[in-house]
Amino acid sequence: MSKSQTIEIEGRQLTLTNLDKILYPAAGFTKGQVIDYYARIAPVLVPHLTEHPLTLKRYPGGVDQEFFFEKNATKHRPDWIQTTPIWSEGNQRTVHYLLANNLATVVWMANLAAIELHPSLSLAKDMECPRAMVFDLDPGPPANIIQCCQVGVWLREIFDHFGLRSFPKTSGSKGLQIYVPLNTATNYDSTKSFAHALARLLEDQHRDLVVSDMKKQLRVGKVLVDWSQNDEHKTTISLYSLRAREHPTVSTPVQWEEVEQALKKKAPNLLVFEAGQVLKRVEKMGDLFAPLLTVKQKLPKFEAIEGAESDLEIAGRAEKPPTSRVKKAASAKTAAPKRARAKKKK
């Protein structure tokens, strides 16, 4: 690609600049290649970004240089770029978030060296209603993504117990993220409380590996089950987003079988995907996160939280789904929900 060029996308003209600029020095990956990746991944990326307020993480000098987060859309933007006004209590002002609802907007953002995309879990029209619940599994060295896989499998067993479908993706960095689609009327108080309860449940059952507290001194060699991402004021890295690592790795949807395989072989490299690999995966496998857009699920109902002795007791009180929807636990050792019930009976 040349250093700059003007193209037409969806009837809109865009001037792309500094295409030869290297944004990933260790990999020799250029701004032109970043734009090309985002243009080619857009058919599966855009549906997941549409109408979700978006925060950009921009690296104008490359991934080894200074970066900045951009919530308020830059004033120097084409008039066809869509934004949504959202009141910020923290800043006491209205923030005009970008809406990446089409290919042209995605390419325009990539031309800004917006390497990382961080969307809200909510749609702009209903910021108090998350469309999914997310768990960010973050390993504290020397733990790595393999330990995250083990914790992810334990989490899936709990979701199966409650009759909830769940979908894993790599963070594109060190960890693993688990999404539970909802697409029903709910709020962040509900998803955050439920996520916190499950994090505490796992911590109680696997104290040698799991921690639910974010204090760094507690996380050495363990996996933080970060439940706090379920918040109106927080964002999580988008699926198919590039990451600002040494190489152009991508937050990549994966199958549970791939998670299990990496865990069995203790092979972290099986869950590391760069831009070119992700494009080939999508061509072969389609969008593994497509169900996130349509699957409707409700969280189990909780009794009154006040007076509960612990999050474990809350989780144990959750309404059970029909038996036919519950998978048989892989083993008594990893069946955390069963242990929790047994513990309650004592």
Side-chain angles (χ1 to χ4, degrees):
M1 297 181 77
S2 61
K3 292 183 179 181
S4 66
Q5 66 181 65
T6 299
I7 61 173
E8 183 174 310
I9 301 178
E10 300 171 335
R12 301 176 175 111
Q13 282 200 336
L14 282 171
T15 298
L16 307 180
T17 59
N18 300 317
L19 296 177
D20 291 339
K21 185 172 186 176
I22 294 177
L23 295 184
Y24 289 82
F29 202 75
T30 66
K31 182 180 173 183
Q33 288 173 294
V34 167
I35 294 171
D36 179 68
Y37 166 75
Y38 273 120
R40 293 170 64 190
I41 202 66
V44 290
L45 170 64
V46 168
H48 293 278
L49 296 181
T50 298
E51 296 302 319
H52 288 265
L54 186 62
T55 297
L56 306 182
K57 194 173 181 181
R58 294 175 57 181
Y59 290 79
V63 298
D64 60 342
Q65 302 296 317
E66 290 186 8
F67 64 86
F68 62 95
F69 285 96
E70 189 169 68
K71 294 178 180 289
N72 209 32
T74 177
K75 294 179 181 179
H76 305 290
R77 62 180 187 268
D79 56 10
W80 47 265
I81 294 289
Q82 293 176 266
T83 63
T84 183
I86 297 174
W87 176 253
S88 170
E89 287 293 341
N91 297 312
Q92 286 295 295
R93 66 185 177 94
T94 297
V95 176
H96 295 271
Y97 285 87
L98 283 170
L99 293 176
N101 293 349
N102 51 60
L103 168 62
T105 300
V106 169
V107 173
W108 175 79
M109 294 189 307
N111 189 55
L112 295 178
I115 287 178
E116 293 190 2
L117 311 178
H118 296 253
S120 168
L121 289 172
S122 303
L123 297 177
K125 64 181 180 181
D126 192 359
M127 286 300 295
E128 296 180 357
C129 179
R131 307 297 290 177
M133 181 171 60
V134 61
F135 294 80
D136 188 5
L137 307 183
D138 187 10
N144 59 27
I145 198 171
I146 296 304
Q147 284 73 34
C148 292
C149 289
Q150 177 61 80
V151 176
V153 169
W154 289 334
L155 258 179
R156 182 188 59 178
E157 290 174 358
I158 299 176
F159 297 141
D160 288 344
H161 169 75
F162 288 126
L164 297 170
R165 293 180 66 185
S166 58
F167 299 82
K169 73 178 178 74
T170 70
S171 69
S173 180
K174 300 178 294 181
L176 193 69
Q177 296 166 342
I178 315 299
Y179 280 64
V180 177
L182 298 173
N183 296 312
T184 51
T186 188
N187 56 58
Y188 283 102
D189 285 342
S190 298
T191 57
K192 198 170 189 177
S193 296
F194 189 79
H196 194 185
L198 295 196
R200 290 282 299 276
L201 175 62
L202 281 174
E203 182 179 47
D204 184 79
Q205 298 298 328
H206 307 284
R207 290 191 177 275
D208 59 329
L209 186 58
V210 178
V211 63
S212 66
D213 192 309
M214 294 187 194
K215 294 186 183 70
K216 287 189 176 181
Q217 63 268 30
L218 300 177
R219 294 163 57 181
V220 177
K222 296 186 179 183
V223 174
L224 169 66
V225 178
D226 189 354
W227 48 272
S228 70
Q229 294 298 109
N230 298 285
D231 191 291
E232 180 181 341
H233 306 292
K234 290 192 176 184
T235 59
T236 304
I237 190 71
S238 174
L239 73 165
Y240 302 120
S241 174
L242 287 165
R243 299 308 305 268
R245 308 290 290 176
E246 189 175 16
H247 291 266
T249 54
V250 174
S251 181
T252 309
V254 293
Q255 298 172 318
W256 277 115
E257 291 78 7
E258 292 179 281
V259 173
E260 293 168 342
Q261 188 74 352
L263 176 60
K264 181 180 179 181
K265 293 186 175 182
K266 292 182 169 45
N269 61 300
L270 293 179
L271 294 176
V272 178
F273 306 99
E274 295 188 15
Q277 294 170 297
V278 172
L279 290 169
K280 291 178 181 178
R281 281 174 63 87
V282 169
E283 185 177 350
K284 179 181 178 181
M285 307 167 75
D287 178 17
L288 296 179
F289 260 45
L292 265 289
L293 300 170
T294 56
V295 169
K296 294 185 177 181
Q297 302 185 120
K298 291 184 177 181
L299 295 180
K301 294 179 181 178
F302 289 96
E303 295 179 7
I305 293 180
E306 289 185 11
E309 294 180 5
S310 68
D311 284 324
L312 289 176
E313 184 174 344
I314 297 169
R317 292 177 180 177
E319 183 180 276
K320 300 175 186 176
T323 306
S324 61
R325 295 174 63 192
V326 181
K327 279 188 179 180
K328 205 169 184 180
S331 68
K333 185 176 181 180
T334 57
K338 291 185 178 181
R339 284 175 157 191
R341 292 200 303 274
K343 201 168 188 179
K344 189 179 172 187
K345 291 178 182 178
K346 291 182 180 178

